[in-house]
Amino acid sequence: VERFLLQYRQNKFFAAEAGRYHTAIGYYNTAYHHSRWLQTAMDRPLLFAFEDSGGPLPVHNVGLSVSGQVPSGSLRLRYVAEVGNGRSFRLAGAEPVQNVLDDNRGKSVNFALSSNPDAVPGLRLGTSFLVDHLSPAGAPAVAQRILAGYAVYVRGHVEFLNEAIWMRHSQQLPALGSRITAIPGGYSQFSWRFADFRPWVRFEMLNPSPGDPVATRILMTTGLIRQV
């Protein structure tokens, strides 16, 4: 089961969901869930690959999510606030989405804000910031911060998706003190519909720091990763 939710909706300003949901990181992860038929491309960007396919982001979570509109006139702002178990990082090969138990005392907390301005129909802008703590077996705990942002334009024949993330990881290493590493990355995808056909092109990039704990355990590599 990929998503299982109990939902309550009071009005357009407040709704709540409890269960297993897609984390509100960026645009792609909540715009396209698991149905490839609805996506322009056959595969998800590497950045938003599912955890069991080696994706670097916690694209699923189990917990509580609240969302709603923000009174903002023509900016049409919307918020999402989430708290959940976060991603399992203790044992290699373990189920990455913690459905029942959390392998540490810290919870994953995420806040997202988006805008669909009336001035530019089809444009959507957004940002999110996630805080979590990872507990790898036999290694120091990892303080994780994920900042994401996107600018998307989908209207008529045009689809133009642009997203970027900055994953920051901090560890206290014995005798070495604090070590900070990062995984910057992003993708840009453009397509144009001709009748029943929509050719597309996508450029993707991830550039993990040497020794980054997420890169070495999940991506299984460090250094620049590029693909078109």
Side-chain angles (χ1 to χ4, degrees):
V1 176
E2 297 294 345
R3 286 190 294 156
F4 187 84
L5 294 165
L6 175 65
Q7 299 177 317
Y8 169 78
R9 193 172 303 276
Q10 182 175 2
N11 51 45
K12 64 181 180 180
F13 303 112
F14 181 83
E17 300 177 335
R20 176 168 166 146
Y21 53 83
H22 276 203
T23 314
I25 299 176
Y27 170 80
Y28 208 97
N29 198 43
T30 54
Y32 305 105
H33 293 284
H34 290 264
S35 178
R36 292 185 175 182
W37 176 259
L38 301 177
Q39 301 176 119
T40 298
M42 189 65 178
D43 294 316
R44 297 166 67 88
L46 173 62
L47 188 62
F48 291 102
F50 297 131
E51 295 95 336
D52 53 9
S53 298
L57 293 173
V59 298
H60 295 87
N61 209 345
V62 175
L64 176 67
S65 173
V66 297
S67 61
Q69 296 181 20
V70 178
S72 51
S74 62
L75 289 178
R76 298 177 60 193
L77 295 174
R78 183 173 181 83
Y79 75 91
V80 180
E82 302 168 327
V83 58
N85 289 337
R87 180 173 186 157
S88 175
F89 204 67
R90 186 171 296 278
L91 298 174
E95 170 61 34
V97 185
Q98 301 181 93
N99 291 322
V100 179
L101 299 175
D102 194 342
D103 63 12
N104 58 45
R105 295 182 179 180
K107 291 299 179 183
S108 169
V109 178
N110 185 51
F111 183 78
L113 188 66
S114 63
S115 171
N116 295 74
D118 291 339
V120 187
L123 176 66
R124 181 168 179 176
L125 306 172
T127 186
S128 64
F129 184 65
L130 182 143
V131 176
D132 197 6
H133 293 83
L134 309 177
S135 301
V142 180
Q144 182 178 66
R145 308 289 185 267
I146 302 175
L147 177 64
Y150 63 86
V152 169
Y153 182 79
V154 181
R155 184 173 173 85
H157 296 276
V158 179
E159 178 189 64
F160 191 29
L161 313 180
N162 302 275
E163 301 200 57
I165 63 105
W166 182 273
M167 301 177 68
R168 180 184 185 274
H169 301 116
S170 176
Q171 289 177 290
Q172 290 294 328
L173 302 179
L176 297 177
S178 177
R179 180 180 70 174
I180 297 175
T181 57
I183 307 179
Y187 77 91
S188 184
Q189 176 178 309
F190 180 81
S191 69
W192 185 281
R193 189 178 72 244
F194 297 92
D196 294 332
F197 300 93
R198 182 180 282 277
W200 59 275
V201 62
R202 178 199 290 161
F203 173 79
E204 306 181 60
M205 183 274 290
L206 289 173
N207 191 17
S209 301
D212 182 87
V214 170
T216 54
R217 285 174 175 256
I218 297 175
L219 295 174
M220 307 302 291
T221 185
T222 58
L224 185 62
I225 303 170
R226 291 184 297 182
Q227 57 186 31
V228 178

